[in-house]
């Protein structure tokens, strides 16, 4: 089903990014400082090994100018010109306090957000690369950042401290912080299924839908945690989909489909999945009232209370046994209902890629919607989505 783009690298691929526009190039980064540029047909148009040969951890084209490609390696951000891939046009050394894990550019290309191992998020002014903001709230590695479309002063960051933070850049402080561990502990008790590993929800990747209101966060517990941002940038609703049987490493909303709630995910289980979230309770407005209602353990129904009051003459053990049987039946019914709902809202496409997914890049290649996958090999893999 997939086609390989070979011979671009000699080391394991770590990241891939696409240039805007119908004829846009694709950039891939690998261990050892390797950067490769590709046409939409998969032909190599340029290769470069950066001085120092540090791993290329992120590759992002400016949405405002495809002649600017930003790559991170070590604590440095280098600006490359894809038209003349001889070496960096600029180097922003010390852009990160420690090794950089991810980059994000705002819609105008005037700012670059840098997430690093220290947990800090830095905002660099473009041009020049001057650090104009330093955001400190993560207590562990900051793994991913994303600007919120249509809200230039909003930035989302996630990290291995299991925190999702929405920042207001004008005041350099969080508008809100959400701890994935809180909801994960609540859900794990009654959502376990065979093959699902319940690791702590370390947050690996964050993406924001093109409308700017839905966040997706891929986490080590195999879930993609979803959040809806309402008026005043408030966290209005949250939920999750059980996307992978091992850690979810990648999540990206897709901007070129019929609505902004198509999403692709990748995981350590070697699976790539495509999701249509338009009816998910976090996304769908009609699910708001029901979904935001406090989740409480159901008490005994009035009918059950009456039966127990009328049946005090029964031996105590017999009554307890009957009540336990009723609870078991109720639990089975809930499990079946949950399973049916999960099947109904499952992925539209599941691709067995077979290797751990390091990065995903949705792209339209020669007019065909596609997903580009970077894994631990030296080859990119392209999967067409023409069946949609």
């Amino acid at each position: 089903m997939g086609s390989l783009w070979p011979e671009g690298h000699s080391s394991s691929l770590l990241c891939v990014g696409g240039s805007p526009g119908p004829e846009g190039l694709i950039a891939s980064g690998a261990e050892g400082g390797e950067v490769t540029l590709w046409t939409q047909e998969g032909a190599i148009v340029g290769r470069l090994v950066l001085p120092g040969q540090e791993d290329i951890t992120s590759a992002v084209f400016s949405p405002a100018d495809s002649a600017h490609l930003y790559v991170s390696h070590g604590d440095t951000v280098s600006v490359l010109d894809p038209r003349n891939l001889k070496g960096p046009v600029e180097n922003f050394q010390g852009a990160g306090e420690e090794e950089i894990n991810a980059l994000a550019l705002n819609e105008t290309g005037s700012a670059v957000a840098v997430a690093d191992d220290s947990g800090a998020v830095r905002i660099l002014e473009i041009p020049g690369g001057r650090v104009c903001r330093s955001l400190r709230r993560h207590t562990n590695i900051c793994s991913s950042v994303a600007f919120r479309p249509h809200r230039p002063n909003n930035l989302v960051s996630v990290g291995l401290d299991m925190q999702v933070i929405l920042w207001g850049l004008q005041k350099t402080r969080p508008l809100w912080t959400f701890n994935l561990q809180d909801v994960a502990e609540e859900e794990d008790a009654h959502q376990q299924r065979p093959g699902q590993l319940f690791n702590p929800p370390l947050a690996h990747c964050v993406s924001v839908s093109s409308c700017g209101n839905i966040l997706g966060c891929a986490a080590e517990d195999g879930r993609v945690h979803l959040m809806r941002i309402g008026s005043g940038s408030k966290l209005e609703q949250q939920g999750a989909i059980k996307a992978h049987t091992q850690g979810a490493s990648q999540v990206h909303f897709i901007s070129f489909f019929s609505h902004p709630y198509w999403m692709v995910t990748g995981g350590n289980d070697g699976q790539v999945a495509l999701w249509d979230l338009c009816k998910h309770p976090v996304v769908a407005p009609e699910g708001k009232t029901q979904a935001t209602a406090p989740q409480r353990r159901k008490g005994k129904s009035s009918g059950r209370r009456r039966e127990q009051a009328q049946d005090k003459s029964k031996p105590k053990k017999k009554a307890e046994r009957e009540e336990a049987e009723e609870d078991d039946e109720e639990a089975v019914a809930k499990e079946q209902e949950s399973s049916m709902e999960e099947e109904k809202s499952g992925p539209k496409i599941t691709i067995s890629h077979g290797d751990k997914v390091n990065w995903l890049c949705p792209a339209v290649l020669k007019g065909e919607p596609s997903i580009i996958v970077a894994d631990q090999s030296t080859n990119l893999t392209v999967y067409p989505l023409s069946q949609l």
Side-chain angles (χ1 to χ4, degrees), residues 12-52:
S12 295
L13 281 153
L14 297 176
C15 59
V16 57
S19 174
E23 299 298 324
L25 297 174
I26 304 299
S28 55
E31 295 175 351
E34 297 181 355
V35 180
T36 300
L37 288 174
W38 311 78
T39 66
Q40 295 193 0
E41 293 87 0
I44 297 170
V45 294
R47 296 182 66 179
L48 177 67
V49 177
L50 290 176

Side-chain angles (χ1 to χ4, degrees), residues 8 102 108 167 195 207 212 227 316 381 386:
T108 60
W167 299 89
S207 180
M227 298 166 201
K316 185 177 180 181
T381 307
S386 52

